[in-house]
Amino acid sequence: MPVAYTIQPTYAIDDASLLETDLTTCTLLVLIGSGTFSYAVLSPVTRRFLALKSYSYQPRTLAVADLEMIEQIFDADKLLFTAFKDVLLAFDSPDSTLVPESLYQSQLKKDFLHAAHLEKMQEAVLADHLPDLGMVHVFATDKDILGFLRKEFSSDRVVHAYTALLKSYRQDNDVQFSDGVVFIEIQPQHFALTIYAAGKLLLQQQFAYRSGLDIVYYIVNSLRQLGLNEQQAKIKLGGALTHDSQVYQELNRFLPRLDWVKKPHNFLYIAKMNDVPAHHFHNLYALALCV
């Protein structure tokens, strides 16, 4: 017989303000990745983050297994059944591409995506418009997981996680740096690489990695192909890294201008969130810029 158990969050951050707030006036920001399910509660009136939870489980190759784990999270976490005012769903999926707005046609979004990525079974193809960049972000996610979450939350508001990252990076003054700035959002098995120079977006792509040296290779290779120097470009890191982690140490050996990304400004954070390094949940906090 299968063993029943209750899945537990790897991070859970809140304080008394969560109980003192009418959550039906709040926005729930949900981020789904490979083997991860995270959410944050935001009060739009005060622009204050009130709570955060993050769950991790072993990534599977079959989407049905991922869906089963998400269903277990719903069984264990009753806060998800709150009647929030708004719910935004974000997917950190590998199949995405940026299309110039001037060339984009909605009826061709699948063709744009499949020019860069193979078509998959049970995929839903969606698009985010980024008028500030003159781009449209076309992406795919699993149709069954999307359908389950839309039904549970009664929400059709869906974005790609990298759309939120792009909005957040534009707040950083370093995007104007002429020698280039590389933003890295690191997850357990993959990372997003985004490069700007002189205010212009040059590249955004997801890569798989096994060690920090893999990340170094992709950074150096991408910069050189764009005519930039890895010794001069600024590298800004997001994700659950620390100075003593193996990945950080390997990056630090070859890339002299390392720094950390900051939480999106113009928002308030409870004290317990400020006790956690700002770069750890940057991709989750950035979803507030899409509300």
Side-chain angles (χ1 to χ4, degrees):
M1 293 180 62
V3 177
Y5 67 95
T6 301
I7 189 168
Q8 297 293 328
T10 51
Y11 284 92
I13 303 172
D14 61 41
D15 63 14
S17 63
L18 184 66
L19 297 176
E20 297 166 355
T21 304
D22 179 3
L23 296 183
T24 63
T25 67
C26 293
T27 296
L28 184 70
L29 307 171
V30 183
L31 178 59
I32 305 97
S34 176
T36 62
F37 182 97
S38 306
Y39 68 80
V41 179
L42 174 69
S43 170
V45 176
T46 61
R47 296 180 66 82
R48 181 181 179 90
F49 282 92
L50 305 175
L52 177 155
K53 277 190 183 179
S54 181
Y55 295 86
S56 298
Y57 49 90
Q58 185 64 37
R60 305 289 182 87
T61 56
L62 297 176
V64 66
D66 288 329
L67 180 55
E68 288 173 355
M69 295 305 297
I70 292 172
E71 289 174 339
Q72 287 189 34
I73 292 170
F74 270 77
D75 288 340
D77 194 333
K78 301 309 178 186
L79 184 66
L80 294 173
F81 293 97
T82 302
F84 291 98
K85 182 179 181 181
D86 293 300
V87 177
L88 177 70
L89 305 175
F91 290 89
D92 182 353
S93 58
D95 298 341
S96 70
T97 189
L98 289 167
V99 180
E101 196 171 39
S102 59
L103 301 178
Y104 179 74
Q105 299 178 53
S106 60
Q107 68 272 23
L108 297 177
K109 62 185 178 184
K110 290 186 178 181
D111 299 281
F112 287 122
L113 182 67
H114 297 147
H117 300 279
L118 294 175
E119 184 173 0
K120 294 181 178 178
M121 294 287 291
Q122 289 296 104
E123 69 175 11
V125 179
L126 306 168
D128 298 333
H129 289 262
L130 293 161
D132 291 346
L133 291 173
M135 295 282 185
V136 178
H137 195 172
V138 182
F139 64 97
T141 191
D142 181 77
K143 185 181 294 185
D144 289 340
I145 293 176
L146 176 62
F148 172 80
L149 293 173
R150 277 177 163 170
K151 179 181 178 181
E152 292 297 326
F153 288 122
S154 300
S155 176
D156 285 324
R157 302 186 65 185
V158 183
V159 299
H160 195 278
Y162 296 174
T163 296
L165 290 179
L166 287 171
K167 289 178 179 288
S168 178
Y169 296 156
R170 283 178 60 82
Q171 292 187 345
D172 193 312
N173 291 331
D174 283 338
V175 298
Q176 303 298 329
F177 189 53
S178 59
D179 287 332
V181 57
V182 181
F183 294 97
I184 302 294
E185 181 65 37
I186 298 179
Q187 301 300 316
Q189 294 182 320
H190 69 270
F191 71 99
L193 181 151
T194 307
I195 301 177
Y196 281 86
K200 183 178 180 181
L201 175 65
L202 302 181
L203 175 70
Q204 186 178 68
Q205 193 168 348
Q206 183 181 117
F207 297 97
Y209 75 95
R210 292 188 177 182
S211 72
L213 293 178
D214 294 335
I215 301 174
V216 171
Y217 168 79
Y218 287 120
I219 292 173
V220 172
N221 187 52
S222 298
L223 284 170
R224 291 182 179 178
Q225 288 190 28
L226 294 169
L228 298 170
N229 187 322
E230 71 274 8
Q231 298 299 307
Q232 299 298 324
K234 297 181 179 181
I235 316 295
K236 309 196 80 167
L237 304 176
L241 290 180
T242 61
H243 281 98
D244 58 357
S245 66
Q246 183 179 8
V247 168
Y248 181 88
Q249 293 299 321
E250 290 173 334
L251 293 175
N252 195 43
R253 282 175 57 195
F254 299 97
L255 303 167
R257 308 193 69 177
L258 288 183
D259 198 359
W260 304 103
V261 295
K262 303 293 191 296
K263 295 195 291 285
H265 58 68
N266 296 328
F267 292 95
L268 300 174
Y269 302 85
I270 62 173
K272 291 181 180 179
M273 290 177 178
N274 290 325
D275 290 338
V276 177
H279 57 278
H280 275 209
F281 294 104
H282 174 261
N283 57 344
L284 181 58
Y285 293 133
L287 296 181
L289 300 173
C290 296
V291 174

